[in-house]
Amino acid sequence: MTKIFVGLILIFLDINLDVYMLHFDLLPDFIGFALLFLGMREQVARSKYFRAALAVDAVLFVGTLCEWIFLAMGLVESSSDAVTFFDTAENLCMFYLTFCVVQTLVDSEKESGYDFDAVRLQKTWRCWLAVSVAVMVAWLFIDIVIGNAISVWSLWGLVGIALACVNFVVLILFLYRFYRSKEKYEYFF
């Protein structure tokens, strides 16, 4: 579970460097997906959820590696529709992968009778999911319906920023609760 935790941290942590027209992600997501894959592969015997998640993770590894190369070489712009579409698909797949991780902990808690705080983690995950979907919908609405006529400081721009801040706080809470559940799980197993 430690590899899964570190993989999630690397996926969610974005540190970018933009030089002229080149976009370079200093902590590429594909490294996080590789760690996530290795961690889920170690746990696949304990969870039915990880079997299907491994395939999704492998696709995301290849996709994020290609995206990283294309962005680093300047073959696509980070603001292009293709990157926006891929990032949205990546986020949707991340919801599924994190669901698999959380559900594994919930099932393990039920089967073992030990308290991993998995139910609290699951509630936090649901909250993060709801806020993340709201952020995605808000930014897509702003981008598609309102378009370039909006400034960041308009009402819709401020709503999007506020939702993104709430999403960040809930994500940190989710990662903290996952870490706590992971520690209890690893102590038992």
Side-chain angles (χ1 to χ4, degrees):
M1 284 284 184
T2 298
K3 289 177 185 169
I4 293 172
F5 177 72
V6 173
L8 289 175
I9 293 287
L10 291 176
I11 292 165
F12 290 129
L13 187 63
D14 284 329
I15 300 175
N16 302 311
L17 177 65
D18 290 314
V19 180
Y20 299 108
M21 297 299 288
L22 299 178
H23 178 85
F24 192 71
D25 191 355
L26 299 176
L27 289 174
D29 289 349
F30 68 86
I31 295 172
F33 285 115
L35 283 171
L36 199 60
F37 183 87
L38 294 173
M40 288 190 300
R41 193 178 68 188
E42 289 174 358
Q43 302 290 326
V44 77
R46 291 195 184 118
S47 173
K48 63 184 177 189
Y49 295 100
F50 287 156
R51 289 183 195 101
L54 284 171
V56 172
D57 186 73
V59 169
L60 286 173
F61 171 80
V62 171
T64 54
L65 176 62
C66 291
E67 179 188 34
W68 185 77
I69 291 169
F70 292 160
L71 287 171
M73 293 177 68
L75 299 176
V76 295
E77 292 182 24
S78 60
S79 61
S80 70
D81 289 339
V83 171
T84 301
F85 175 78
F86 179 76
D87 288 344
T88 303
E90 179 186 352
N91 286 334
L92 294 174
C93 290
M94 278 303 301
F95 297 147
Y96 174 71
L97 292 175
T98 53
F99 164 79
C100 291
V101 171
V102 169
Q103 200 58 43
T104 295
L105 288 166
V106 169
D107 289 352
S108 297
E109 184 177 77
K110 287 177 185 174
E111 291 170 8
S112 69
Y114 287 95
D115 182 19
F116 301 140
D117 272 343
V119 173
R120 180 182 280 182
L121 174 65
Q122 188 178 45
K123 288 178 183 176
T124 306
W125 177 83
R126 287 178 180 156
C127 182
W128 170 68
L129 175 68
V131 173
S132 293
V133 169
V135 168
M136 288 172 52
V137 168
W139 283 115
L140 285 174
F141 174 78
I142 290 169
D143 190 39
I144 293 170
V145 176
I146 300 172
N148 293 332
I150 189 169
S151 75
V152 173
W153 300 112
S154 69
L155 175 63
W156 285 108
L158 292 175
V159 167
I161 290 170
L163 280 172
C165 290
V166 170
N167 188 42
F168 176 75
V169 170
V170 175
L171 175 62
I172 296 298
L173 181 61
F174 167 73
L175 290 171
Y176 169 75
R177 291 211 169 132
F178 175 65
Y179 176 79
R180 297 281 310 259
S181 295
K182 172 196 82 73
E183 290 294 308
K184 292 178 179 183
Y185 176 86
E186 287 177 343
Y187 180 77
F188 177 74
F189 290 107

